[in-house]
Amino acid sequence: MTVEQIVSEGKDQFPIGMRVLAVDDDPTCLLLLGTLLRRCQYHVTTTSQAKTALKMLRENKNKFDLVISDVHMPDMDGFKLLEHVGLEMDLPVIMLSANGDTKLVMKGITHGACDYLLKPVRIEELQNIWQHVVRRKKKDRCNSGSKDKPHPDSGEDAGIGNVDNNGKLNKKRKDQNEDEDDERDENGHDNEDPSAQKKPRVVWSVELHRKFVAAVNQLGIDKAVPKKILELMNVEKLTRENVASHLQKFRLYLKRISCVANQQANMAAALGTADSAYLRMGSLNGLGNFHTLAGSDQLHNAAFRSFPPSGVLGRLNTPAGLGIRGLPSPGTIQLGHVQNSGNPTNDLSKLQSFVPGNHNTNILQGMPMSLELDRLQHNKSVGHIGELPTTDSTTVFPGSGSLVDARITGFSNNPLLGVTSNSLMLEGSSQQATSHTSVSAIGFQNGNALSDFTLIAPASNQLQDSKADSQGQASLINCNAGQIIRSAPQEWNAPRKDAPYQSHALINSSIPINSAMIQLGQCLDRNNSIFHRTTDLDSVGPLNFVDPLSIKQSEGDNYIMEPSVIEKEGYLMFQPRPHGSHVPDNTGSLKDLASAMMKQEDDLGCNGYSLRTSI
Amino acid sequence: MERNPMRRQLASMRKSLFDQGYLDEQFMELEQLLDDANPNFVEEVVTLYYRDSARLILNLDRALERRPLDFSKLDGLMHQFKGSSSSIGAKKVKAESTLFREYCKSGNAEGCMRTFQQLKKEYATLRKKLETYFQLARQIGPMESANRPK
């Protein structure tokens, strides 16, 4: 449908008379904006208070077509207003600011702004804002996004709304001198722009995500901008926009994880007491860093969810390092502690204590908590993966289902098990210097399914020590788990089933799990789900590591990894098999897990807990 | 008739404001908005600006007296100030604000204070010039002002 059509459909003289609500605390700017808008023949209402604006909008949802708001306002942050409007009224919102920093613009876009203008605003820029209204209407109407086809250059009149919105959205109006024509051209260009919607979807494979994560880690989550990430990744045909949107998701994921991590931490604490054996596994060395999502908390798990499970699997497999193996050997179990720096030292100590053999429960505890087993990790990767969510407690990435497998980058050895009640953090940090570098922490969400697997790929550093391999594997496992978990939205069972396979796949594939004990933190899955599951794990023989995992798997889903996998390495962490044995009970508490682990330990003997050995 | 020399004077005053870098294209944008319905639009906006920015300057002065300096607060205040200054096209003032913010970011107290003094000077100078300009414009007459050569 062309704009004209829409217009004639009853918009009368649209865009003339379009009702705009302008919000800006600066009276000078507000006056100017209002005047400019009136000059464009819109129907304008101005207010200097965001709260007043919201009130007006709420009073009558159909009163306005478009909202323009300043970013910096004293009574309410512009982004917050943006969110509210987006959620409650679903109106297009344009952000306005004197500050054109990429980060801010990105923030605006991620919060849902349909455009971001720089002050001082020029009339030419305002003359086209009606397209956002049209676009949204079309989208609502056909739900397929009207922005499919980029219009031919310069579209049908000044950038018909149908024009792909990427151009508009992505366009940062830094250049104040752009005039109307330019905008039109840009729209046209945007249409052609490869990053425009038309571009074939980029599939974020494990490998790709790994690179992405590595790049982000390298830059530091704060400084990671799409352009630089793109450069570091050096992947052909990947555009900045792809990276940008991926980054956005990643950040949301991190955020999510951090929230969950908090929960996890608590759980972990409970679990921690469970089994030291588990901790032993923890000796996985090096949890290396969790690079959990480089992002800090902002990653949405949803974003990760989007990662195709296969991808996850793939990812797990790929990193050579992912060594689930790590279980046995790496002494350090790094619990995905994703805390932002601050991980409570106790946690660490706990972990550490485990590793060395304390097995005291805290493994689990530690797990969720900061897994940074310092000891274990030689690297200092422990540091937290990127900016792990700050939850203070261990943050296992709880991801709700989103598996962050990207992180798994070669774990070196220590599979970190971030087993937190809900989230299982597996950190594959392996101390082993080899490859891995990523600690993958898989945060499992306790929730029903280990939905979130966050694999935190520990920085390579981490794994310095030995266990590196396992880490990789662990991470893999994690990934799978995550996926698996993800797949099972609410039930553990569901994912479980898959999990084994998935993990399996991962594990099998290539993870040279050397030592990484990847304990799927999931094991710690909170209460029941995991524990129950883990019981099943029991069955996995060699999986020492699995214990915790097994606990989780109690139901049998092996989240953890298929037994087969385990076998491979022997220590696979997860014993997917829900044979039920293991889990001491379904309470699913970490405790159980821990005890299960202990049991396992005994039982396993063989690879025995790779944890043990690894430790 | 006697308006012609005044008009010429006005035109040259205006030109020098641009040439000397006190105003930038944004001011021209404001002028574009003048019409019969809003013959004094530019003056209105500028007046509003001076009123509002006086408040900001006062806050900045106060904030600069505190020890230690709260750079993020200063930056925030200056950000606002910069926003409105750029809306009227106050070029030099805007440049000083940018510089001030740079100093804030790097935590340079000395730089901040120095720049702020400079900024206040530029602000005062511009204000005076614009006042003179508008006064003359008003003398010429509202209609004339509206039809001021662009």
Side-chain angles (χ1 to χ4, degrees), chain A residues 26 164 175 187 234 242 436 478 514 576:
Chain A
D26 183 327
D164 93 57
D175 181 3
N187 285 341
N234 194 22
N242 296 136
H436 37 270
N478 294 338
N514 301 328

Side-chain angles (χ1 to χ4, degrees), chain A residues 38-57:
Chain A
R38 282 187 191 102
R39 190 51 68 91
C40 298
Q41 296 184 286
Y42 301 138
H43 183 270
V44 187
T45 308
T46 59
T47 174
S48 60
Q49 303 274 329
K51 298 205 168 101
T52 312
L54 260 183
K55 194 157 144 286
M56 282 196 261
L57 287 164

Side-chain angles (χ1 to χ4, degrees), chain B residues 69-130:
Chain B
L69 289 182
D70 182 350
F71 288 111
S72 75
K73 179 164 186 206
L74 287 170
D75 188 63
L77 285 169
M78 189 51 79
H79 172 84
Q80 277 182 278
F81 184 80
K82 182 181 170 190
S84 36
S85 304
S86 62
S87 294
I88 66 152
K91 197 170 177 183
K92 288 193 181 187
V93 174
K94 182 178 165 189
E96 294 294 331
S97 329
T98 307
L99 191 56
F100 183 92
R101 293 189 74 200
E102 295 291 320
Y103 283 128
C104 279
K105 287 197 185 97
S106 56
N108 184 339
E110 161 74 35
C112 281
M113 308 228 238
R114 233 184 321 120
T115 308
F116 189 62
Q117 299 309 316
Q118 187 61 24
L119 183 148
K120 280 197 283 188
K121 261 199 261 168
E122 294 292 346
Y123 173 84
T125 309
L126 179 65
R127 183 173 194 157
K128 218 148 77 67
K129 287 187 186 273
L130 283 174

Side-chain angles (χ1 to χ4, degrees), chain A residues 25-29 31-32 35-36 39 72 74 97-99 119-124 177, chain B residues 26 29-30 32-35 38 41 44-45 48-49 52 79-80 83-84 86-88 101:
Chain A
D25 65 311
D26 183 327
T28 313
C29 298
L31 174 61
L32 179 59
T35 310
L36 287 171
R39 190 51 68 91
H72 292 273
S97 177
N99 189 341
K119 284 186 193 173
V121 176
R122 285 166 312 121
I123 197 163
E124 296 85 8
N177 294 327
Chain B
Q26 180 62 20
E29 296 278 334
L30 294 184
Q32 303 255 353
L33 293 172
L34 287 172
D35 59 9
N38 297 301
F41 178 67
E44 279 167 27
V45 179
L48 183 57
Y49 164 73
D52 186 54
H79 172 84
Q80 277 182 278
S84 36
S86 62
S87 294
I88 66 152
R101 293 189 74 200

Side-chain angles (χ1 to χ4, degrees), chain A residues 62-79:
Chain A
N62 290 329
K63 212 161 144 210
F64 298 103
D65 297 307
L66 179 74
V67 180
I68 299 187
S69 165
D70 185 29
V71 169
H72 292 273
M73 292 192 285
D75 65 332
M76 188 191 292
D77 183 32
F79 294 118

Side-chain angles (χ1 to χ4, degrees), chain A residues 233-247:
Chain A
M233 282 176 73
N234 194 22
V235 172
E236 257 185 59
K237 299 205 184 134
L238 192 67
T239 68
R240 200 196 61 79
E241 279 80 1
N242 296 136
V243 174
S245 73
H246 194 69
L247 179 65

